[in-house]
Amino acid sequence: MLKRRARAGKEDYSRINERLARNLPRRMPGGSLVWLHGASVGESQLLLELGQRLLELRPDLMLLFTSQTQTSARLLGPVLPERAIHLMAPLDTPGIARRFIRHWQPDLCIFGEGEIWPNLILEAERAGAKRALVNGRMTDSSADGWNKLSGAFKRLVGRFDVVLAADTDTARRLETLLGEPVQSTGNMKSALPPPSASEIEIRRLRENFLADRRCILAASTHDGEEAIFLDALKGDDTSALIIAPRHPDRGNAVELLLKERGLTFARRSRGEVPTPRTRILLADTMGEMGLWYRLANSVFLGGGHTPGVGGHNPLEPVRLGLPVVTGPDVFNFATMMDDLEARKLIRKLKTTKAIGKALQSMAPPSQEALQELNDAADAPMALTLAALVPLLPEPGLLQ
C-alpha cells in the first residue's frame, strides 16, 4: 500500500521505514520526551507552536513531531526547535504501534484535533505514557457516526488523561459521548502568528506585478471555488488577482480553467514572472501564503463552498488586517466564524454577486476590533499549557 502511494506521489520512498517504525533514529539524550502528532499542515503548525511554548516552560524536554503528509514534513523540517525531530507518522497497526512506542518511550503523547488512533493510544497506555487530545474538533456528522459506536468511543477516548475541545459545540458532543465534562479551551489556532514573508519579494511583486493595482486573493481554494472566484469578479478588469489553491498539485487543473477563460496568467511553480499586464498570478507553491496575504487588499477564503471541507482558518488574513469573504459551509470553524462575523471581521456569503461586491467594497477591520481579537488570541494556548504541564514528569538533570 505504501509503495502504491509512493508511486502516486503521496509518500516519500526514502521515508517509508518511518511509516513502518523501522530503522528509527536513536532517542535523543536528555530529559523527558513529548510526542506531538498532527495529521497535516494546519495541525502540525499548531503543535509546533505548542511544542515551542512547552520548551519555554521546560527547556529539559525533547520533542518528537509526527505528521501524515509530505507537505507538512517539508514545512516542519526547516523550523523545528533545536531539541526536536520530525518523522512521518507510523501506521496504526498493532505491530507498528508497538515498535514505535517501545523505541521512543514517550512520557507524554499529544494528539491534535481529530487524530484518534486506537493502536497507538493503547500502546502508549501500556507503556505508562500520559495521553492528551488537544484542540479537539468534532462535527455533528462525526458525532452521529460515533454515537453508533459510543461504547468503543468511550473505551478509547476515555483513556486520554486530558481531553480539550476547540469550541463549545465539540465539547458538548464529546461530553455526550464520554459521559463526563469536557473543557472547551477555545481554538488554539488563534494563537498562531500570521505566516511570514520576505520584504524583498513583497516589494518586487508590488512593483512588477501589481503596479498600483488593487489585489484580490483567492486563498486555499478547492475544485470549483476558483470558478466561483472568477465569476464573482467577472466585471472587474482592473484588479490584479492571485489564486493560491489549497493543494498546489491542482495547478494544472487551475491553469486549464484560466486558459479556457482566456485570462493572462503567470504560474509561480514554473518560475514565470508576472508583469503589470498579467491578470492572474497562479500561486501553486507551498509555504508562501504569508506573501500572498501581504500583497492582497481583500481575500476570498476557500473551503466554504466545497461539500465536506468545512472551511479553513480565517485568522491569518484577519490578523493581518484584511477583509475576508468565505462560503457558508464552514462547520469545522463554526464557532470561530460566527464570532468573527459578529465582530464584522469576516462575511459568509453564498452567491457570486454578493462575493464580488464584498471583495471590492469591504473596508479593512478596525484597529479596535483587531486589538480585541489579539487580546483574546492567546487564551486557548495558555489554557492548554496549563492542562498539559501537570502531566509531565518532574524535570531531571540534562545529560
Side-chain angles (χ1 to χ4, degrees):
M1 182 269 291
L2 288 172
K3 288 179 180 178
R4 284 199 303 272
R5 285 176 55 82
R7 284 194 293 270
K10 296 180 179 180
E11 297 282 347
D12 183 342
Y13 270 113
S14 67
R15 305 190 73 169
I16 284 179
N17 274 336
E18 296 174 21
R19 302 284 269 151
L20 300 172
R22 290 176 178 158
N23 301 325
L24 296 172
R26 289 186 179 184
R27 174 175 165 147
M28 297 160 283
S32 301
L33 179 71
V34 178
W35 169 35
L36 304 99
H37 172 69
S40 58
V41 173
E43 297 89 342
S44 297
Q45 290 175 326
L46 180 151
L47 292 175
L48 175 63
E49 180 70 16
L50 177 61
Q52 289 170 331
R53 301 285 188 99
L54 282 170
L55 282 177
E56 291 173 6
L57 296 172
R58 289 283 302 273
D60 61 302
L61 296 177
M62 297 291 178
L63 305 182
L64 168 64
F65 292 92
T66 60
S67 60
Q68 306 276 16
T69 66
Q70 292 187 72
T71 302
S72 59
R74 287 194 293 268
L75 290 179
L76 275 180
V79 296
L80 287 176
E82 184 177 345
R83 297 171 64 80
I85 188 173
H86 172 269
L87 294 174
M88 301 305 296
L91 299 182
D92 191 60
T93 71
I96 294 173
R98 192 174 304 117
R99 282 199 300 272
F100 181 85
I101 296 296
R102 286 180 178 177
H103 178 85
W104 291 109
Q105 300 175 23
D107 296 284
L108 172 60
C109 307
I110 301 174
F111 295 80
E113 301 200 351
E115 292 299 284
I116 301 171
W117 295 101
N119 292 294
L120 288 164
I121 293 169
L122 293 173
E123 287 298 329
E125 182 186 39
R126 292 189 186 107
K130 298 293 186 182
R131 301 158 308 285
L133 179 66
V134 303
N135 214 55
R137 295 195 301 168
M138 178 178 283
T139 64
D140 271 330
S141 59
S142 293
D144 289 342
W146 276 117
N147 274 326
K148 300 170 185 176
L149 299 166
S150 57
F153 184 89
K154 188 171 183 178
R155 287 193 297 273
L156 182 60
V157 180
R159 294 176 186 272
F160 282 102
D161 297 281
V162 164
V163 176
L164 303 174
D167 54 73
T168 54
D169 289 337
T170 293
R172 173 179 50 78
R173 293 168 189 138
L174 288 171
E175 286 177 352
T176 299
L177 286 164
L178 294 174
E180 58 187 56
V182 172
Q183 182 182 3
S184 172
T185 55
N187 198 317
M188 289 165 59
K189 288 180 178 176
S190 65
L192 296 180
S196 59
S198 162
E199 289 296 331
I200 294 174
E201 192 68 1
I202 293 171
R203 185 164 56 250
R204 187 179 74 84
L205 283 167
R206 279 180 176 159
E207 292 173 355
N208 298 335
F209 172 46
L210 301 188
D212 297 324
R213 290 185 293 174
R214 178 178 174 81
C215 180
I216 305 177
L217 166 66
S220 296
T221 51
H222 295 259
D223 184 26
E225 291 182 327
E226 294 89 7
I228 292 173
F229 176 68
L230 294 173
D231 288 342
L233 297 169
K234 203 165 186 178
D236 180 358
D237 296 324
T238 58
S239 298
L241 307 181
I242 300 174
I243 297 178
R246 179 70 172 183
H247 303 290
D249 57 8
R250 292 189 54 251
N252 288 341
V254 179
E255 178 177 352
L256 181 61
L257 173 69
L258 299 179
K259 285 180 175 179
E260 288 174 348
R261 298 198 176 206
L263 298 168
T264 60
F265 66 93
R267 190 165 170 181
R268 181 75 167 179
S269 65
R270 288 203 291 251
E272 296 171 355
V273 179
T275 72
R277 294 184 296 277
T278 305
R279 175 76 167 122
I280 297 170
L281 175 58
L282 173 50
D284 56 334
T285 53
M286 286 301 303
E288 295 193 292
M289 195 57 76
L291 174 59
W292 315 136
Y293 282 143
R294 284 168 174 81
L295 293 173
N297 298 102
S298 58
V299 175
F300 170 73
L301 184 62
H305 287 89
T306 304
V309 173
H312 293 301
N313 181 13
L315 285 172
E316 291 177 350
V318 168
R319 293 180 75 177
L320 286 170
L322 295 170
V324 176
V325 176
T326 191
D329 194 6
V330 289
F331 55 83
N332 276 330
F333 296 88
T335 301
M336 180 190 293
M337 292 286 194
D338 289 344
D339 176 62
L340 292 174
E341 191 167 39
R343 296 171 186 256
K344 298 183 178 179
L345 295 173
I346 68 163
R347 293 186 68 184
K348 291 182 288 186
L349 300 172
K350 186 174 183 178
T351 68
T352 56
K353 182 178 180 180
I355 292 167
K357 183 177 179 180
L359 288 173
Q360 293 166 319
S361 63
M362 278 179 69
S366 70
Q367 287 302 310
E368 181 181 5
L370 286 176
Q371 188 58 52
E372 289 177 359
L373 181 66
N374 289 331
D375 289 344
D378 204 50
M381 186 67 72
L383 290 169
T384 300
L385 287 168
L388 294 179
V389 169
L391 301 181
L392 293 168
E394 289 296 318
L397 295 175
L398 293 177
Q399 298 177 357

